Amino acid sequence: MDILIKDNVFDNIDEIRQRGLNITDYQYRDHPYMPGWKGYRSWFNEDGKDIIGQQIINIVGDVYDIRSCPFRRFAYHVTDIPSCIEKQPLFHDFKWHNDGNIPGTYAGIVYLHPNPPPNSGSSVLDSEKNEIIHIENVYNRLVCWPSYSQHAVTNVFGNGIETGRMSIVFFIHPPPEAYL
């Protein structure tokens, strides 16, 4: 499986984390018995002018051919124990998901917690080898995988935006008509 892992992505990572901490319009998703993301998200400016998103695109574009994927979405994402484990008793059964089934599309994460506990990164299923790849949560690490890959948060931690598992998630895909 081809997974991109790059450490020390941003020179100003503390400012980027603070930007996430300052957000007041996080959307909360609480669907206890549905797969997919849980916790809190706040979407970025999607006009391609956001410097954070542009740097992510440059890094991913150096490794993967994303020229046919003009739609790029970015969000601050926080998962924590109350939003995932306490409110969703079957969280570990429903956390696995993919972000699309079209080859040549990508999804990923940049970890934004300066002192994450062990085993709080991402888990990605390598369907060819039938094994789970665990990627550690390291502050300022970017991880990107094909969006059709089943993946999940390994474990959550914290109790809210300040102490939870903060990250930037991103999605790189073709125009919506390609999904029809």
Side-chain angles (χ1 to χ4, degrees):
M1 163 157 281
D2 189 17
I3 298 176
L4 166 62
I5 300 174
K6 181 170 177 63
D7 289 335
N8 302 312
V9 175
F10 295 105
D11 293 334
N12 61 337
I13 192 65
D14 294 328
E15 292 171 27
I16 292 170
R17 175 175 165 74
Q18 189 60 50
R19 180 175 159 183
L21 291 170
N22 292 341
I23 293 171
T24 59
D25 67 344
Y26 276 101
Q27 300 170 359
Y28 177 69
R29 185 168 180 186
D30 183 11
H31 300 287
Y33 302 105
M34 293 177 61
W37 72 270
K38 309 293 187 236
Y40 307 87
R41 278 198 180 165
S42 180
W43 296 97
F44 279 38
N45 178 350
E46 295 183 33
D47 65 6
K49 296 178 183 169
D50 188 284
I51 192 78
I52 297 169
Q54 196 55 54
Q55 189 159 343
I56 291 170
I57 292 302
N58 290 343
I59 292 167
V60 173
D62 284 345
V63 176
Y64 301 122
D65 182 1
I66 58 172
R67 290 173 294 180
S68 64
C69 299
F71 289 91
R72 290 105 188 242
R73 298 173 38 206
F74 309 90
Y76 279 92
H77 185 188
V78 179
T79 54
D80 64 357
I81 292 169
S83 70
C84 295
I85 307 298
E86 292 173 5
K87 292 186 179 178
Q88 302 179 49
L90 298 177
F91 171 74
H92 289 291
D93 294 328
F94 286 96
K95 67 182 181 179
W96 289 92
H97 65 285
N98 67 22
D99 295 310
N101 292 315
I102 297 177
T105 61
Y106 300 92
I109 189 167
V110 178
Y111 300 113
L112 295 179
H113 195 285
N115 298 301
N119 302 313
S120 63
S122 301
S123 298
V124 181
L125 175 63
D126 182 341
S127 57
E128 293 174 10
K129 295 182 179 176
N130 198 28
E131 69 181 13
I132 296 173
I133 300 166
H134 298 287
I135 302 146
E136 276 301 317
N137 181 344
V138 174
Y139 191 47
N140 202 14
R141 172 179 278 178
L142 177 145
V143 183
C144 184
W145 52 80
S147 61
Y148 58 80
S149 301
Q150 290 287 318
H151 61 278
V153 55
T154 306
N155 284 303
V156 298
F157 60 90
N159 290 297
I161 305 298
E162 292 275 337
T163 61
R165 181 184 180 269
M166 181 180 281
S167 62
I168 294 172
V169 292
F170 59 90
F171 309 92
I172 303 169
H173 54 90
E177 57 270 13
Y179 291 96
L180 303 176

